[in-house]
């Protein structure tokens, strides 16, 4: 197949390109080489066999040309900083939502040839994860964000109004979507725009809801995205990683090679109309990740647990991998301890500019961190 990967010069896109090439597909990467992600231009890690087309996803004629003679499209191009999206609102809506609309209009015109559309969605569209009530045993709960007065008292875990403690459980795809940032709203747009247009025009389409992706090639000098990369840029400069709240909030860290495999399976599959979690189903706390990276790098740097919080932050979100296993036959394989060790090895050869303090100042000035 001839596959167009938008955002194909990025972290996930380049790993997917490697897999697709190895499977014998032709890969065209369409990418604007956003300077925030690629400060030195086209990345060295991109396989020379990838046909790189530099262009903006909002430019309809460039997108149209890139789609000519293409059989399958994987849409990854996006701006990806959650905190930054809360003040560069228009840019996020423009690149992500409008960019997806431009792609879809061009794709619809060429639907006779296009056999497949796969889009990157995100766990961020869930908002808080799924919970059970520790007192009543009730499961499948979809609570709202923790109230401001609770956070102001530094009580971090979720509670009911009656003060009953809620405990995290794996989040299934049917949990109501409650995006809590502009970035997350635009990722829901990505998913819903692609699935609805795909269904209307009979273009087989899947959306993959990626959990927290980590691994080699993360953009280390981009302080706006990816807790693993943000921690790494601190550690590589001899600074302590900063953990908000008490550092025991949990996420589902899924390795980029697993994610690339999920995208390949989705691209080659014929199933359509689903939004599927790409996750491990296992929790790791923010402190676990910081310590795992520090020890992998041989550094005795402890995480700086700051006891502050950011507007819109969730406490726990772990994915339920069951439906993806049934529909796509996908199960994540890389254990987080192994994956962090491998990431640390790659990091040892990297340089990173630590702009994390600057990014945090931007949030603080706007009252988004308290
Ligand atoms: N990394 C994660 O943890 C994660 C989690 C959930 C979802 N996702 C989604 O996966 C996709 C890929 O993310 P990533 O982590 O590889 O990020 P990335 O920043 O490494 O890759 C995104 C690519 O898109 C390109 N891009 C940005 N603006 C563009 C524009 N206007 N036109 C064309 N290209 C443009 C960038 O240059 C970059 O190469 C994104 O859609 C993101 O929302 C990522």
């Amino acid at each position: 197949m001839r596959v167009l990967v938008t955002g194909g010069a990025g972290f996930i896109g380049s790993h997917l390109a490697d897999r697709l090439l190895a499977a014998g597909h032709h890969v065209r990467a369409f990418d604007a080489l956003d300077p925030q992600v690629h400060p030195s231009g086209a990345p060295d890690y991109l396989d020379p066999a990838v046909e790189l087309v530099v262009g903006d996803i909002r430019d309809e004629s460039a997108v149209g040309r890139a789609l000519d003679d293409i059989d399958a499209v994987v849409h990854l191009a996006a701006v990806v900083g959650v905190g930054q999206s809360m003040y560069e609102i228009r840019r996020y809506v423009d690149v992500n939502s409008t960019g997806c609309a431009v792609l879809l209009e061009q794709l619809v015109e060429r639907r006779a040839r296009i056999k497949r559309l796969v889009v990157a969605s995100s766990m961020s569209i869930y908002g808080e994860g799924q919970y059970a009530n520790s007192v009543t045993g009730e499961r499948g709960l979809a609570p709202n964000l923790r109230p401001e007065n609770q956070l102001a008292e530094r009580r971090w875990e979720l509670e009911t109004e009656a003060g009953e403690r809620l405990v995290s459980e794996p989040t299934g795809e049917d949990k109501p979507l409650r995006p809590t940032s502009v970035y997350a709203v635009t990722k829901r747009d990505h998913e819903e725009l692609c699935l609805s247009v795909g269904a209307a025009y009979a273009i087989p389409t899947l959306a993959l809801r990626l959990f927290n992706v980590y691994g080699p090639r993360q953009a280390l000098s981009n302080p706006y995205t990816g807790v693993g990369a943000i921690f790494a840029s601190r550690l590589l400069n001899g600074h302590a990683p900063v953990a908000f709240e008490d550092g025991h909030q949990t996420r589902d860290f899924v390795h980029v090679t697993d994610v690339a495999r999920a995208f390949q399976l989705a691209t080659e599959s014929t199933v359509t109309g689903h939004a599927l979690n790409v996750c491990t189903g296992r929790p790791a706390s923010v402190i676990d990740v910081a310590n795992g990276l520090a020890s992998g790098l041989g550094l005795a740097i402890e995480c700086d647990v700051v006891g502050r919080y950011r507007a819109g932050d969730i406490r726990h979100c772990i994915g339920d991998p069951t439906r993806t296993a049934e529909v796509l036959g996908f199960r994540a394989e890389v254990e987080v301890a192994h994956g962090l060790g491998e990431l640390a090895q790659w990091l040892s050869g990297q340089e990173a500019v630590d702009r994390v303090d600057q990014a945090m100042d931007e949030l603080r000035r706007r009252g988004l961190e308290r």
Side-chain angles (χ1 to χ4, degrees), residues 10-12 31-32 34 38 56-57 76 78 121 183 187 211 213:
F11 165 46
I12 297 170
D31 199 298
D34 178 353
H38 305 287
D56 195 298
I57 196 70
L76 303 177
S121 181
Y183 167 74
K187 291 313 289 181
F211 278 64
V213 189

Side-chain angles (χ1 to χ4, degrees), residues 41 52 85 164 284 367:
L52 174 63
S85 77
E164 294 156 345

Side-chain angles (χ1 to χ4, degrees), residues 130-152:
Q130 191 168 311
Y131 287 79
N133 184 314
S134 62
V135 178
T136 64
E138 198 185 350
R139 304 194 53 178
L141 302 175
N144 288 320
L145 287 178
R146 295 160 291 178
E148 196 63 34
N149 59 345
Q150 177 188 330
L151 292 172

